[in-house]
Amino acid sequence: MLAIRDLTKSYDTLQGPLNVLRGVDLDVEAGASLSLMGESGSGKSTLLHLVAGLDAADAGTIMLGNMDITALDDAGRAKLRRSRIGLVFQQFNLIPSLSVAANMAFQAQLAGRLDTAWQDELVDRLGLGDLLTRYPEQLSGGQQQRVAIGRTFAVRPDLILADEPTGNLDEESGDAVMHLALELVARTGCTFMMVTHSARLAAMLDRQVTLVQGRLA
Amino acid sequence: MSVERTTHPRTNIRGLDKSCAALRPMLMRYVHAVGALAGAAFLVLLLFLFPAAAQQQGFAGLGGEADGYARVTPNKDITFPKDHGAHPAYRIEWWYVTANLIDEAGNPLGVQFTLFRQAATPDTTGEEWARTQYWMGHTALTTADSHLHGESLARGGTGQAGVTATPFEAWIDDWIIASKNEDFAPLRLAASGKGFSYDLTLATDAPMVLQGEGGYSRKSDRGQASYYVSQPFFEVAGTVTIDGTSYKVTGGAWMDREWSSQPLAADQTGWDWFSLHLGTGEKVMLFRLRSTERAPYFAGNWISPDGTSQAIPADAINAEPLGISTVAGRSIPTSWRLTVEGHDLDVTVGALNPQSWNETLFPYWEGPITVAGSHEGVGYLEMTGYPGDR
Amino acid sequence: MNRILHTLLALMSHWRRKPLQLVALLGGLMIATALWSGVQALNAQAKTNYDNAARLLGGDAVPSIALESGGRFDERAFAQLRRAGWKVSPILEGRIHINETSLRILGIEPLTLPPAAGISAGGGLGPAVFEGFMRPPWRALASAETIELLGEDTGTLPPLTASEGIAPRMLIMDIGAAQAVLDASGQISRLLLDPAAAQPGTPLAQAAALPLTITENEAQGDLNRLTQSFHLNLTAFGMLAFLVGLFIVYSAIALAFEQRLPMMRTLRALGISARMLTAVMLAELVTLALLAGVVGVVGGYLIASALMPNVAASLDGLYGADVAGTLSLEPEWWLMGIAISVIGAVGAAGYSLLKAYRMPPLASARRYAWREAQKVWLSLQGGIAVVLLALAAILMLTADGLIAGFASLAALLVGSALMLPPALAVILSAGQGMARRPLSQWFWADSQQQLSGLSIALMALLLALGANIGVGTMVEGFRDTFNDWLDQRLVSEVYFDARTDDEAAQIEAWLANRDDVNAVLPTLKTEVRMGGLPVIVTGFRVHESYRNSWPMIDIAPDAFDRVAAGDAAFVSEQLANRLDLSLDDPIEIGSWPLIVAGIYPDYGNPKGHISVEIGAMRAKLPDAERGDYGLRVAPKDTGALILAMRDTFGMDDSALIDQSALKSYSKGVFESTFAVTAALNVLTMAVAGFALFMSLLTLAEMRLPQLAPLWAAGVTRRGLAGMELLKTLGMALLTAILAIPLGLAVAWCLVAVVNVQAFGWRLPFHLFPMQWVQLIGLALLTAALAAAWPIWSLRRMPPVRLVRVFTDER
């Protein structure tokens, strides 16, 4: 499903180039869930962003099925994000000017595969029924992340990438969000990859990988 | 009969600072203070009435070259009434009256009336506005505690100011001195200024007194001279009005007539001039002419009650300042000791009002004085060319 | 001290990170200061010129003595009055033409001129200026530009000397020189009376042999009243620009305040008191304001210098007011400009400073609910707008007086500006309701959210466009009307002016023998006062030429016959307005009773005008002077006739002119009259453009969190940039469309209210749709230019910056 080979990435900083990823190799089977751990600056978020097509790698390949993500141009990566990948971030996941319902449907509509029955089921499962007409700034952090998860699953992506999705939440609501997400992963059979600091959360997933100084430990 | 005759340098168009450098800041201050055209008018006056001032020649242009103007020469006949009138071929001329008066309560006061004529060019043919003869009138009234004065400017050719010989009339605006009938005297003298006016009758039977050698009056050892005649014997009666209150006054007046084209030497910067009415009926005129380069030039005339005029030798005169007053920011001697050898005159004179300052285009000190010592009397003092701080 | 410095440095470090906000803050202040002080400079300069002119004329402080019936009189009155104790100084005034330039001659008598009649020939003049002033060959003082204008060949004029502070096209010379130049030997126009001198006992009537009368000079009053509307206009523009600039400042400061909140809390937590924090912020602001003030004042000077020739041309064209085309400013003006910058900045920051002072050190957990806030703000603003618009409508219908007219205009403009955001919100939510596709839904929804950030810039744009359309409609309408009017009014093909009565008689006799001249139309002219107003009375020969073409607003039956009979008159529209005259009303010129038989437009003439039959006028007003002659000639014969007259009588271009030359001259005057409006229009658009640019720039920074989720969800940066551009253009388009009704309302108010109050005539109201199209294009161009850079940088934004949105702590 996902095959990463010899992936490198560096950023220009005032102190010179910063080598964030120094040759990462990683394989993830379809339907598996994986946690990426590591200290701050170990490159775990960068790896996730490269897989998501948010940024371009310096060298190496990322094969999603038989598509090489690193070979895509800007428009290609945008199409990839739109149709095959779901993203959940720590914050600012939602579009502030749209209502909860519009946010939920947004990406699916963009990808041209809005399925109202599935949409209804998601609303139901995530307990968002009463919130559909509200706007993001009127929601609590946990509610916002539930909407973000709903929007992501609405597209039925092949791969869901989450970067500290509960980082801004307290433990209780964080756990609730995690459980809902994992239920949906099981329900849709998609692949799930999550960056986290928390060993407790990581333990909820099939497999745990740790990055140290830009390489897999 | 007289040994030596001198001029009194009342040649006034008044006490200017000695150099252009000192003059210009004053003028610019004027321009700024009065603004615009008023300033322009002063500049015009300065440059055309007194063109030599800008060339650093004596004061008020009186020491400039006289090219093109009629020259003052000795042994000229001075005849009246013709010479009561104006002499436009000469550059400068004046009609000058000072009067020492008392009101009915016995309070002393003084009155001044002056009409100056100045030619800007020797050409006397211009008509109306093109005529280059210009006129300046000064009028003042001095009491022990106030000094009021006025000034008016005019150009020849319009009728605003002028002088006729027969009947005699000299005027600028409604300021006038004029014969009351076919004879020269009695005269009517009337003028006004801010807060005052006067209307006086000046009477005398005495003939005019020729100063100098038959009216030829030297002002330096280098040839500067003027024609100079006086009438010091006027008896005065009339009315003065101060701030709306009229007073009947009587007293005596002294009239000077002088015309010239180059009355002063270039280095002469100011003068102190005295006219004294002594209790004996004698009249005395004295002056001290100050120079930047030489000792002061003294001259004077002793006039008997019968009108005989005798020049006083320069070395017989001494004038010594006794007391200095601060007037308009300047240090000015307002009391003096005067001595004349051969006439046994040894007097002190003091100002009736030390603040007798005429803040005119060319400011100067002019006011009544009292005489005490070997002789008693009254008189007038004029002082010019004392530099100010400003 | 140390504490203050460190606090200041910490606060200031914000600007290093957000240089754009600093640019917006300083830029807004500079614009506000520059335009405000620029307009002040223009007004001050014009006022100085009026004052100079008035002082030259003997203005408010110096009364003058003149002939009761007007006109020049014998100079001997001067000496008569002086000898009676009246401290008067003679003045001779007149106009001559040299090298096609009309010159005003002012003859003075320097020795008697009262100090209060100061002529600004002083200043830094060297005494050399006056050399030879009072005697032949004389000397004339003029401004350097006048001397340049005249060139080498100055004909019979005395030698010219440059002097500062003299109005353009004016020559000051000795009265003797003026009598020669004006061919008025022995004559004077009037006598200035020294207000400082005591009034003499002799009454005026006794002192002079002529029927003289003392008048307080009203020339300055007239000029002030006439030019008041123009300056009010300029001032209103300056205020508008100043306010727009302050809005920019306000939003920059408010934004900086929001963004510095965490820092301020930290500083408070570190032991800086609220008072100290506020004081330091105030000090920071004042420092910045001083900096911006200095630059702004320099900018104001440059703007005013650039506009001054236009303003001078406008004032000359509108009112015949001579204003120098160059600028000279007092130090107070510079200080004032800088002070205004500081005051403006502190005023704009007042709310933020108050909030800083009251801010608790700990952040409250309350979330900012922009949607509710926006709703409250919009409905409040809408409410105020409705009130203002209602006020504008009431004032417009009932306005009496210039101030009311302008107040109405102001209420209309401000009300419309306030109305814009609510109106846009309604349109945008309607659009959102209709949108089906996700991106278009987002497009409308996001526009609505952006509204609060852009509203000030859009309001500025609306005002600029509205003012443009309004003024443009008025000027275009005026131009059309004026051209028609010129065509109808200038009936004769050739006009000439004889120098003397003898010459006039000779020319008339000569013309009578020419076959190509179909009619000779002489005129008589005199100036009288009616109801305190200066009024020109013109006598004309009632001729078919006039009957057929004279444009009338209102005319009685048989009007021309009644005028020909000598007992009826035509009056100009402005005179009719001022004296409240209508048809068949009686008027009196001196003791000549007349009936109003017609009212005609007389555009641009500050004086009232009455036209009567020439023969009757000669009998009733014997002092009237000979005016221009009109000649009816077949157009093909015009050239030959002019050549023949030029050869026979030696007439030059100023005395002999053909209709087409006169028309093009009049049109030239018209164009220069409105020269300044064109310049101001460009400036208003520039200010609106700057406001839009700064708003978009600041919004661009704040909007990343809104755009990043879209990008993450698979919209390309290019697509985002395209939508942002479309949104800006869409907003500008909506604003421009809404500006059209505003512009028309402004135009109507100008034409039907302000103009009538200011000038006394009403203009027809025409529509110029092509102008609207152009302005909409201009609005879109302005918006595109303003949006170009923010959008370009969005397109080129490195992905890592977008990603960072999701990972950075706020």
Side-chain angles (χ1 to χ4, degrees):
Chain A
M1 166 68 200
L2 182 69
I4 298 171
R5 290 292 172 270
D6 200 21
L7 193 66
T8 63
K9 176 72 181 176
S10 66
Y11 290 109
D12 286 331
T13 69
L14 290 175
Q15 291 77 35
L18 174 67
N19 296 313
V20 185
L21 297 178
R22 312 170 180 220
V24 173
D25 298 293
L26 179 66
D27 290 277
V28 185
E29 315 81 77
S33 62
L34 173 90
S35 69
L36 269 175
M37 296 184 66
E39 295 181 355
S40 287
S42 62
K44 56 190 189 302
S45 285
T46 303
L47 178 59
L48 194 80
H49 294 157
L50 292 180
V51 172
L54 290 171
D55 208 348
D58 294 343
T61 55
I62 305 170
M63 300 298 295
L64 181 66
N66 43 21
M67 177 196 287
D68 183 0
I69 294 174
T70 56
L72 294 175
D73 61 4
D74 197 47
R77 289 202 297 272
K79 183 159 186 277
L80 168 81
R81 294 198 297 273
R82 196 152 70 222
S83 51
R84 298 190 60 185
I85 291 184
L87 286 168
V88 181
F89 294 106
Q90 188 174 343
Q91 59 178 355
F92 297 121
N93 275 305
L94 303 180
I95 297 165
S97 49
L98 295 181
S99 67
V100 167
N103 261 294
M104 283 272 291
F106 187 78
Q107 195 177 353
Q109 282 175 313
L110 275 189
R113 53 174 94 124
L114 182 66
D115 176 345
T116 37
W118 175 227
Q119 202 82 10
D120 292 345
E121 184 185 336
L122 283 174
V123 168
D124 217 30
R125 278 175 177 269
L126 293 166
L128 298 173
D130 297 338
L131 305 177
L132 285 177
T133 57
R134 296 218 191 156
Y135 285 86
E137 81 270 11
Q138 297 164 324
L139 303 181
S140 72
Q143 289 169 331
Q144 284 195 28
Q145 289 305 68
R146 268 151 50 202
V147 177
I149 286 164
R151 179 189 66 190
T152 302
F153 280 98
V155 195
R156 289 182 180 275
D158 300 331
L159 175 62
I160 289 183
L161 301 169
D163 190 353
E164 300 268 11
T166 61
N168 264 7
L169 306 178
D170 58 61
E171 194 177 301
E172 192 182 340
S173 42
D175 282 357
V177 167
M178 267 316 287
H179 284 300
L180 284 171
L182 289 177
E183 267 177 49
L184 285 170
V185 168
R187 162 84 171 76
T188 56
C190 70
T191 311
F192 185 69
M193 209 166 133
M194 177 174 83
V195 167
T196 182
H197 275 108
S198 159
R200 195 174 56 81
L201 289 180
M204 294 183 186
L205 304 192
D206 299 345
R207 192 178 145 201
Q208 290 80 33
V209 177
T210 304
L211 271 167
V212 178
Q213 293 193 340
R215 291 198 179 83
L216 284 186
Chain B
M1 177 165 181
S2 59
V3 182
E4 189 185 339
R5 297 158 123 181
T6 45
T7 324
H8 89 51
R10 227 151 145 219
T11 347
N12 280 300
I13 304 190
R14 282 13 170 80
L16 247 230
D17 294 324
K18 43 182 102 65
S19 72
C20 189
L23 190 66
R24 197 157 292 183
M26 181 197 88
L27 285 174
M28 290 328 283
R29 181 171 53 77
Y30 246 120
V31 172
H32 289 217
V34 186
L37 220 279
F42 292 131
L43 283 172
V44 169
L45 248 195
L46 232 210
L47 285 163
F48 303 108
L49 302 194
F50 320 109
Q55 298 155 28
Q56 304 195 353
Q57 296 194 16
F59 41 52
L62 301 178
E65 288 301 319
D67 291 348
Y69 295 98
R71 298 193 72 87
V72 175
T73 54
N75 304 318
K76 183 177 162 74
D77 279 341
I78 294 176
T79 54
F80 297 102
K82 176 175 72 73
D83 283 320
H84 286 309
H87 303 82
Y90 294 84
R91 204 170 69 196
I92 180 163
E93 181 164 19
W94 56 86
W95 294 255
Y96 214 121
V97 178
T98 54
N100 291 90
L101 308 171
I102 53 166
D103 66 12
E104 287 171 308
N107 298 311
L109 65 144
V111 158
Q112 178 205 348
F113 175 97
T114 315
L115 184 63
F116 300 99
R117 179 192 60 78
Q118 170 99 24
T121 66
D123 177 12
T124 59
T125 61
E127 294 290 332
E128 298 202 354
W129 304 107
R131 189 159 175 81
T132 53
Q133 299 274 323
Y134 302 126
W135 299 85
M136 175 163 74
H138 285 175
T139 168
L141 191 152
T142 312
T143 65
D145 50 25
S146 76
H147 179 83
L148 303 165
H149 64 92
E151 181 175 39
S152 184
L153 304 174
R155 51 211 280 186
T158 67
Q160 185 198 346
V163 176
T164 57
T166 42
F168 172 71
E169 184 178 10
W171 76 92
I172 181 165
D173 301 342
D174 58 341
W175 304 352
I176 186 170
I177 178 162
S179 300
K180 290 194 152 189
N181 51 46
E182 310 83 66
D183 300 326
F184 175 64
L187 296 159
R188 174 176 177 246
L189 175 66
S192 59
K194 235 189 161 108
F196 74 98
S197 65
Y198 50 80
D199 194 338
L200 308 171
T201 299
L202 278 56
T204 184
D205 294 329
M208 297 294 284
V209 174
L210 298 181
Q211 306 265 21
E213 297 166 24
Y216 177 77
S217 169
R218 274 179 221 283
K219 324 195 308 283
S220 82
D221 299 331
R222 284 157 286 157
Q224 280 79 17
S226 67
Y227 297 114
Y228 183 10
V229 296
S230 300
Q231 178 47 274
F233 295 107
F234 281 123
E235 288 172 10
V236 181
T239 312
V240 304
T241 305
I242 303 173
D243 286 332
T245 310
S246 294
Y247 304 88
K248 287 218 174 311
V249 294
T250 53
W254 179 310
M255 180 190 212
D256 273 341
R257 284 279 291 111
E258 197 161 2
W259 61 99
S260 177
S261 290
Q262 195 208 17
L264 290 192
D267 57 301
Q268 291 173 330
T269 57
W271 59 82
D272 310 298
W273 177 89
F274 302 85
S275 65
L276 310 179
H277 299 274
L278 300 180
T280 57
E282 292 162 300
K283 312 287 179 183
V284 183
M285 184 277 290
L286 296 173
F287 68 81
R288 181 179 81 149
L289 231 164
R290 306 189 303 278
S291 162
T292 52
E293 290 162 16
R294 295 155 199 254
Y297 185 87
F298 285 101
N301 272 62
W302 195 277
I303 301 161
S304 313
D306 64 1
T308 312
S309 172
Q310 185 185 7
I312 305 168
D315 55 8
I317 304 170
N318 195 27
E320 182 191 333
L322 292 180
I324 306 291
S325 302
T326 300
V327 183
R330 302 157 198 245
S331 296
I332 294 186
T334 50
S335 73
W336 295 72
R337 181 178 175 209
L338 301 178
T339 58
V340 177
E341 285 172 30
H343 291 280
D344 297 327
L345 182 84
D346 185 348
V347 294
T348 56
V349 302
L352 172 64
N353 180 348
Q355 301 297 322
S356 299
W357 185 251
N358 281 354
E359 185 68 50
T360 40
L361 176 54
F362 303 109
Y364 60 104
W365 195 101
E366 173 119 19
I369 47 175
T370 52
V371 181
S374 66
H375 296 70
E376 304 289 317
V378 291
Y380 246 81
L381 167 59
E382 175 182 271
M383 295 179 284
T384 68
Y386 286 93
D389 311 332
R390 294 175 297 167
Chain C
M1 195 62 223
N2 212 19
R3 233 174 348 142
I4 295 174
L5 187 68
H6 284 288
T7 311
L8 185 62
L9 285 177
L11 282 171
M12 286 264 209
S13 68
H14 173 79
W15 304 119
R16 206 171 52 235
R17 280 191 51 222
K18 308 276 182 186
L20 277 181
Q21 279 174 31
L22 188 62
V23 169
L25 177 62
L26 292 176
L29 269 177
M30 283 174 202
I31 285 189
T33 313
L35 290 173
W36 191 84
S37 54
V39 167
Q40 293 305 311
L42 292 175
N43 282 341
Q45 180 66 41
K47 186 156 184 343
T48 307
N49 277 282
Y50 302 152
D51 289 351
N52 281 347
R55 240 183 289 138
L56 283 172
L57 297 163
D60 44 0
V62 185
S64 44
I65 296 178
L67 218 51
E68 268 166 23
S69 53
R72 292 175 185 159
F73 54 98
D74 194 321
E75 69 183 14
R76 278 175 291 186
F78 160 63
Q80 284 167 7
L81 284 177
R82 287 295 298 204
R83 294 211 59 185
W86 290 78
K87 299 290 183 191
V88 291
S89 184
I91 294 283
L92 177 64
E93 289 161 303
R95 276 189 184 271
I96 57 164
H97 287 82
I98 295 219
N99 304 345
E100 295 176 17
T101 306
S102 170
L103 295 169
R104 222 176 103 202
I105 305 293
L106 181 67
I108 55 169
E109 203 294 283
L111 296 190
T112 49
L113 204 63
I119 288 172
S120 285
L125 285 182
V129 166
F130 291 98
E131 195 162 323
F133 189 85
M134 287 204 299
R135 61 172 189 258
W138 315 104
R139 214 160 254 284
L141 306 184
S143 70
E145 49 190 287
T146 306
I147 292 177
E148 195 177 326
L149 189 71
L150 286 172
E152 291 292 314
D153 178 24
T154 55
T156 57
L157 290 180
L160 297 172
T161 301
S163 175
E164 283 173 27
I166 297 179
R169 296 180 295 288
M170 163 174 266
L171 301 180
I172 299 179
M173 59 184 75
D174 188 82
I175 188 158
Q179 288 183 342
V181 168
L182 294 172
D183 193 19
S185 177
Q187 304 240 285
I188 56 178
S189 305
R190 55 203 177 89
L191 292 157
L192 298 182
L193 181 60
D194 186 350
Q199 292 263 343
T202 321
L204 190 60
Q206 214 173 308
L210 295 165
L212 296 176
T213 174
I214 303 182
T215 51
E216 305 298 323
N217 197 298
E218 290 176 45
Q220 187 192 23
D222 284 355
L223 211 54
N224 266 347
R225 190 173 52 77
L226 288 170
T227 52
Q228 187 192 17
S229 69
F230 182 83
H231 290 293
L232 207 54
N233 231 327
L234 268 183
T235 307
F237 168 77
M239 283 305 297
L240 189 68
F242 185 62
L243 284 179
V244 171
L246 284 194
F247 276 135
I248 298 172
V249 174
Y250 171 79
S251 46
I253 289 175
L255 179 64
F257 177 82
E258 286 298 328
Q259 296 190 340
R260 291 200 286 191
L261 264 180
M263 183 204 293
M264 283 154 57
R265 292 215 162 88
T266 309
L267 288 170
R268 288 292 304 281
L270 293 175
I272 306 291
S273 70
R275 182 185 298 246
M276 160 91 78
L277 185 65
T278 315
V280 170
M281 284 176 74
L282 187 63
E284 176 198 33
L285 187 71
V286 169
T287 310
L288 293 175
L290 283 175
L291 191 71
V294 171
V295 180
V297 172
V298 172
Y301 179 80
L302 294 178
I303 289 174
S305 303
L307 285 183
M308 198 63 220
N310 286 341
V311 171
S314 291
L315 285 169
D316 188 25
L318 275 173
Y319 315 101
D322 283 332
V323 171
T326 52
L327 209 58
S328 59
L329 292 168
E330 303 293 317
E332 294 92 290
W333 176 84
W334 297 90
L335 291 179
M336 190 70 163
I338 293 168
I340 250 329
S341 166
V342 173
I343 293 168
V346 172
Y351 183 59
S352 290
L353 288 175
L354 192 68
K355 275 204 295 191
Y357 185 68
R358 290 195 180 153
M359 178 188 73
L362 285 178
S364 71
R366 187 176 58 91
R367 284 167 175 278
Y368 179 63
W370 69 268
R371 205 169 300 272
E372 277 70 31
Q374 192 184 52
K375 260 184 206 146
V376 172
W377 160 65
L378 285 176
S379 41
L380 186 70
Q381 199 168 323
I384 297 174
V386 169
V387 171
L388 280 174
L389 290 174
L391 182 69
I394 293 168
L395 278 173
M396 224 179 272
L397 295 176
T398 63
D400 186 22
L402 199 54
I403 301 290
F406 272 103
S408 152
L409 207 51
L412 175 65
L413 283 169
V414 176
S416 305
L418 290 177
M419 199 57 182
L420 178 71
L424 284 178
V426 169
I427 294 172
L428 291 174
S429 69
Q432 192 180 0
M434 288 190 294
R436 287 290 162 265
R437 310 219 0 237
L439 275 181
S440 60
Q441 256 185 14
W442 172 80
F443 180 89
W444 291 103
D446 193 66
S447 299
Q448 186 143 10
Q449 196 200 2
Q450 247 182 309
L451 196 56
S452 42
L454 280 179
S455 63
I456 281 165
L458 292 174
M459 281 153 72
L461 187 64
L462 180 83
L463 290 181
L465 289 168
N468 259 303
I469 293 174
V471 172
T473 302
M474 180 189 77
V475 174
E476 279 301 311
F478 195 0
R479 183 180 283 127
D480 283 5
T481 314
F482 183 74
N483 287 348
D484 287 352
W485 175 76
L486 265 186
D487 287 343
Q488 295 174 328
R489 197 77 176 78
L490 295 178
V491 289
S492 299
E493 283 74 18
V494 175
Y495 292 85
F496 75 87
D497 184 15
R499 279 162 288 205
T500 62
D501 288 340
D502 285 349
E503 190 183 59
Q506 278 173 32
I507 298 175
E508 279 192 67
W510 183 84
L511 287 168
N513 290 327
R514 282 188 72 100
D515 295 338
D516 52 355
V517 178
N518 300 327
V520 179
L521 304 172
T523 59
L524 268 183
K525 266 198 173 81
T526 193
E527 186 167 334
V528 298
R529 295 189 84 81
M530 292 181 75
L533 300 167
V535 175
I536 306 276
V537 182
T538 303
F540 69 102
R541 204 181 120 197
V542 177
H543 184 265
E544 288 311 308
S545 309
Y546 296 117
R547 284 180 196 260
N548 300 336
S549 68
W550 198 328
M552 289 279 173
I553 292 167
D554 207 353
I555 187 163
D558 306 328
F560 277 93
D561 295 334
R562 286 164 60 191
V563 169
D567 47 30
F570 297 139
V571 303
S572 70
E573 182 189 9
Q574 42 270 61
L575 185 66
N577 271 333
R578 288 200 197 136
L579 299 184
D580 200 17
L581 295 173
S582 48
L583 285 191
D584 296 329
D585 281 352
I587 53 170
E588 271 194 14
I589 305 174
S591 55
W592 182 12
L594 289 158
I595 300 292
V596 175
I599 296 173
Y600 58 92
D602 187 24
Y603 300 116
N605 193 344
K607 293 180 175 173
H609 205 259
I610 298 182
S611 294
V612 294
E613 202 278 325
I614 187 165
M617 179 167 170
R618 195 172 283 129
K620 299 281 188 181
L621 304 172
D623 290 339
E625 291 172 24
R626 181 169 31 78
D628 291 341
Y629 284 76
L631 299 178
R632 294 307 311 267
V633 191
K636 65 176 170 49
D637 297 333
T638 306
L641 179 68
I642 287 181
L643 275 178
M645 287 181 77
R646 198 171 284 167
D647 288 348
T648 313
F649 300 102
M651 300 174 109
D652 61 11
D653 290 346
S654 63
L656 181 66
I657 191 163
D658 70 23
Q659 188 194 56
S660 59
L662 198 56
K663 269 185 195 167
S664 68
Y665 169 78
S666 303
K667 285 174 186 172
V669 168
F670 179 89
E671 292 306 324
S672 59
T673 296
F674 290 100
V676 74
T677 40
L680 290 185
N681 278 348
V682 170
L683 268 183
T684 45
M685 286 304 286
V687 172
F690 181 81
L692 200 56
F693 175 67
M694 286 325 303
S695 309
L696 289 171
L697 266 187
T698 31
L699 277 183
E701 273 189 56
M702 299 163 67
R703 283 178 49 72
L704 276 188
Q706 339 240 337
L707 295 178
L710 269 92
W711 174 73
V715 181
T716 57
R717 283 172 295 169
R718 187 182 167 151
L720 285 177
M723 278 193 293
E724 290 289 283
L725 180 63
L726 205 60
K727 245 185 326 176
T728 310
L729 291 180
M731 298 273 224
L733 182 67
L734 280 176
T735 306
I737 290 170
L738 290 175
I740 292 173
L742 170 63
L744 295 182
V746 168
W748 191 84
C749 188
L750 283 173
V751 161
V753 181
V754 173
N755 231 26
V756 176
Q757 301 294 344
F759 306 119
W761 29 261
R762 183 177 178 150
L763 289 168
F765 186 59
H766 296 301
L767 299 182
F768 300 91
M770 271 319 288
Q771 220 182 34
W772 309 344
V773 174
Q774 279 173 13
L775 275 172
I776 289 174
L778 187 62
L780 292 180
L781 184 68
T782 307
L785 285 177
W789 195 58
I791 285 170
W792 184 78
S793 52
L794 173 64
R795 255 198 85 174
R796 304 292 307 270
M797 185 171 286
V800 63
R801 273 198 65 195
L802 283 161
V803 170
R804 208 180 291 143
V805 167
F806 303 111
T807 50
D808 267 5
E809 280 293 331
R810 196 204 293 225

